[in-house]
């Protein structure tokens, strides 16, 4: 048996969709274990672009089973739209299964997500407003409604009525909004339930049996390590566990069943939403990376903040995820720059910081310590082997390996499947 976890090592948007798609070819099962429709994975196959939010990227291979584990918060409306989009493009989705334990996202979660953000004003988190935080809050409060509840009309009706009473009180009394109509929402969701019932399963059984039968399983992380609720740049994080350990909780397997952890890192750093970002670039280099790298959010369309590669962050990710291999993406975006910089440590006053700090106030006082390396002007989009890369690009990769303490096994030099170099 072989199980591989794919995690983002930065603030998400590292290009995990493409790496998942690539590794999915060698897998029997691809499984999502956390997050929800806040995620956005862009995969390009035969010149066609697919933007996926909830469905695992493995869906683009007809023979792969795709699972959405119970750690995911599931918006049934968005999932059905995604299924419809895939079917209309000729993709077979019959191999998709969703966990009966997954918690559901409701319209009040999305509305409250936005209202809470607006109330925070300048101190907002910059969420995707997809209801992720409020849905995980209900789960922790033990009032969440799960897929298995949706499969039982009476149970669902009772639970939704009870929840809606409470949510409507918050919406009307605190925010002065109109209440949601319980009957309308119940009927609508029961309709979604009927459409989704053919996909519902106990995914913990499927994944366990597959691993026991020596099949290959790929766990597809969404977001990134610095967005993890425990490990990340709290409070500017998402409400789930994008780290490798999140697989055990969100997919329902034991830690002994994980064999490899592939950390995906962009050859530079990006971030959407608020919060400190030590290597952020505010000059024309940052702007050119944004344009060349098409750094605009898949889910929200927001321009991403761009900066140099931060080895303090990626070495932290290597440590907390137990990363065995790194996949470096978008190396082509940096081509054409005279020099490239890597942040090797932070400076705070006279102190040198090598370990990523917990406190954001502390982090905002840190200045990056850079190492400057010669750039490469040759376009590298056509390179298919490591040796075909310009010598300075190789130097850059090998310096990243040294600083981060993990081997770079995969390199991506463009969005297409074939623009991937395996070392
Ligand atoms: P939420 O997950 O919508 O609650 O947003 C919390 C934080 O995570 C915000 O800074 C978002 O921009 C960020 N975030 C959520 N999903 C993604 C993603 O897929 N890529 C990058 N950032 C994300």
């Amino acid at each position: 048996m072989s199980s591989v976890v794919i995690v983002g090592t930065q603030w998400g948007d590292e290009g995990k969709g493409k790496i998942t798609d690539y590794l999915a070819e060698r897998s029997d099962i691809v499984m999502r274990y956390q997050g929800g429709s806040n995620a956005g994975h862009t995969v390009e196959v035969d010149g066609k672009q697919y933007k996926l939010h909830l469905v695992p990227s493995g869906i683009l291979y007809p023979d792969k089973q795709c699972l959405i584990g119970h750690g995911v918060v599931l918006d049934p409306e968005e999932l059905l739209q995604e299924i419809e989009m895939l079917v209309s493009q000729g993709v077979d989705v019959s191999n998709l299964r969703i966990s009966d334990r997954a918690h559901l996202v409701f319209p009040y979660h999305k509305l409250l997500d936005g209202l809470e953000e607006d109330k925070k004003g300048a101190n907002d988190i910059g969420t995707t407003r997809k209801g992720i935080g409020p849905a995980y809050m209900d789960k922790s409060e033990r009032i969440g409604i799960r897929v298995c509840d949706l499969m039982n009309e009476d149970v669902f009706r009772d639970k939704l009525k009870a929840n809606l009473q409470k949510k409507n009180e918050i919406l009307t009394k605190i925010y002065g909004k109109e209440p949601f109509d319980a009957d309308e929402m119940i009927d609508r969701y029961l309709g979604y339930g009927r459409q989704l019932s053919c996909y519902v399963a106990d995914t913990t059984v499927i994944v366990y049996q597959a691993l026991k039968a020596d099949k290959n399983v790929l766990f597809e992380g969404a977001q990134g390590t610095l967005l993890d609720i425990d490990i990340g740049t709290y409070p500017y994080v998402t409400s789930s566990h994008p780290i490798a350990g999140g697989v055990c909780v969100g997919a329902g397997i034991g830690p002994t069943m994980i064999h490899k952890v592939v950390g995906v890192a962009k050859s530079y750093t990006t971030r959407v939403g608020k919060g400190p970002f030590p290597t952020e670039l505010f000059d024309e280099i940052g702007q050119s990376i944004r344009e060349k790298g098409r750094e605009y959010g898949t889910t929200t369309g927001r321009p991403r903040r761009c900066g140099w590669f931060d080895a303090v962050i990626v070495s932290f990710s290597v440590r907390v995820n137990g990363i065995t291999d790194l996949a470096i993406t978008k190396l082509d975006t940096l081509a054409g720059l005279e020099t490239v910089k890597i942040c090797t440590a932070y400076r705070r006053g006279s102190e040198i910081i090598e370990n990523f700090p917990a406190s954001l106030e502390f982090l905002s006082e840190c200045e990056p310590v850079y190492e400057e390396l010669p750039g490469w002007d040759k376009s590298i989009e056509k390179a298919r082997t490591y040796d075909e890369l310009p010598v300075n690009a190789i130097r850059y990769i090998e310096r990243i390996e040294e600083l981060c303490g993990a081997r770079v096994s995969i390199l991506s030099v463009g969005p297409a499947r074939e623009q991937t170099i395996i070392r």
Side-chain angles (χ1 to χ4, degrees):
M1 88 183 154
S2 147
S3 67
V4 178
V5 182
I6 294 188
V7 289
T9 60
Q10 296 156 322
W11 277 291
D13 308 316
E14 297 92 351
K16 294 180 294 297
K18 182 186 163 175
I19 303 300
T20 307
D21 173 68
Y22 188 83
L23 293 176
E25 201 181 350
R26 291 149 191 79
S27 310
D28 300 295
I29 290 187
V30 184
M31 183 170 196
R32 275 279 304 271
Y33 58 92
Q34 48 71 230
S37 53
N38 51 349
H41 289 169
T42 308
V43 184
E44 201 172 301
V45 182
D46 299 332
K48 234 179 176 178
Q49 254 199 11
Y50 300 86
K51 289 190 190 297
L52 302 170
H53 298 281
L54 276 163
V55 177
S57 309
I59 202 75
L60 302 174
Y61 293 96
D63 57 334
K64 313 295 174 198
Q65 176 136 59
C66 287
L67 306 178
I68 299 181
H70 55 255
V72 170
V73 285
L74 197 89
D75 184 329
E77 187 180 359
E78 298 227 8
L79 178 62
L80 283 164
Q81 278 170 7
E82 208 167 307
I83 289 173
E84 203 180 298
M85 176 276 289
L86 287 165
V87 170
S88 73
Q89 298 200 56
V91 178
D92 178 11
V93 296
S94 57
N95 278 337
L96 175 70
R97 292 292 174 273
I98 58 180
S99 169
D100 48 6
R101 291 181 172 87
H103 282 249
L104 294 166
V105 176
F106 288 91
Y108 49 79
H109 290 135
K110 294 194 207 180
L111 183 59
L112 285 167
D113 194 353
L115 291 170
E116 286 285 330
E117 281 284 273
D118 292 341
K119 198 168 77 173
K120 288 185 183 127
N123 295 322
D124 66 335
I125 288 168
T127 75
T128 58
R129 300 181 178 228
K130 294 285 182 180
I132 306 300
Y136 279 114
M137 277 164 68
D138 279 5
K139 177 175 174 170
S140 300
E141 203 184 334
R142 291 156 294 180
I143 58 162
I145 303 177
R146 299 185 295 165
V147 169
C148 57
D149 301 323
L150 190 58
M151 297 296 113
N152 182 326
E153 191 170 331
D154 291 338
V155 170
F156 180 74
R157 200 176 284 281
D158 288 348
K159 290 197 172 183
L160 187 57
K161 269 194 175 154
N163 275 10
L164 209 45
Q165 198 178 6
K166 191 170 167 188
K167 303 295 176 191
N168 276 342
E169 222 170 305
I170 297 170
L171 287 170
T172 52
K173 293 192 178 152
I174 297 183
Y175 293 105
K177 294 283 167 192
E178 288 296 309
F180 281 106
D181 182 90
D183 290 331
E184 187 279 326
M185 199 181 290
I186 289 167
D187 288 346
R188 188 147 52 95
Y189 267 67
L190 287 173
Y192 297 151
R194 280 189 287 276
Q195 290 179 73
L196 289 174
S197 61
C198 58
Y199 304 107
V200 177
D202 183 342
T203 51
T204 64
V205 174
I206 301 174
V207 72
Y208 183 76
Q209 286 177 346
L211 287 166
K212 283 287 172 196
D214 265 347
K215 299 218 168 135
N216 298 323
V217 180
L218 189 63
F219 295 101
E220 173 180 1
Q223 289 87 42
T225 300
L226 292 190
L227 291 173
D228 185 277
I229 184 118
D230 277 298
I231 289 291
T233 44
Y234 192 88
Y236 298 101
V237 291
T238 190
S239 299
S240 69
H241 289 292
I243 54 167
V247 170
C248 296
V249 182
I253 61 158
T256 48
M257 291 186 131
I258 297 173
H259 302 114
K260 250 185 180 213
V261 180
V262 177
V264 185
K266 239 176 234 179
S267 59
Y268 45 94
T269 313
T270 62
R271 165 162 217 190
V272 280
K274 300 270 185 90
F277 176 175
T279 63
E280 184 165 12
L281 287 164
F282 299 97
D283 57 6
E284 64 279 9
I285 295 182
Q287 185 58 29
S288 83
I289 289 176
R290 185 174 306 112
E291 295 312 320
K292 203 166 162 205
R294 288 176 286 166
E295 295 297 351
Y296 293 89
T298 314
T299 304
T300 58
R302 287 180 289 180
R304 296 179 184 139
R305 299 156 68 191
C306 298
W308 294 118
F309 186 89
D310 187 334
V312 180
I313 287 174
V314 179
S315 60
F316 170 66
S317 282
V318 167
R319 173 159 57 84
V320 298
N321 288 295
I323 286 169
T324 53
D325 299 79
L326 281 171
I328 302 287
T329 59
K330 295 205 165 181
L331 194 60
D332 51 309
T333 302
L334 294 183
L337 295 171
E338 210 169 297
T339 58
V340 282
K341 290 184 186 175
I342 299 179
C343 168
T344 58
Y346 301 146
R347 183 177 292 112
R348 184 171 167 267
S350 57
E351 208 185 344
I352 294 292
I353 317 291
E354 284 173 346
N355 291 318
F356 194 71
S359 155
L360 295 197
E361 290 68 32
F362 187 104
L363 183 63
S364 62
E365 289 160 16
C366 288
E367 302 234 328
V369 175
Y370 284 123
E371 196 171 292
E372 197 159 1
L373 284 87
W376 49 95
D377 57 8
K378 208 168 102 185
S379 161
I380 58 171
E381 288 143 24
K382 292 199 168 63
R384 295 293 175 267
T385 64
Y386 192 59
D387 300 340
E388 282 168 36
L389 290 173
V391 66
N392 287 348
I394 290 179
R395 264 217 228 154
Y396 183 68
I397 292 301
E398 291 179 0
R399 189 65 185 126
I400 286 177
E401 283 184 325
E402 276 168 18
L403 289 165
C404 301
R407 183 178 156 77
V408 175
S409 305
I410 305 175
L411 280 153
S412 169
V413 292
R417 265 185 187 161
E418 62 276 14
Q419 290 176 300
T420 311
I421 297 173
I422 302 296
R423 231 172 121 207

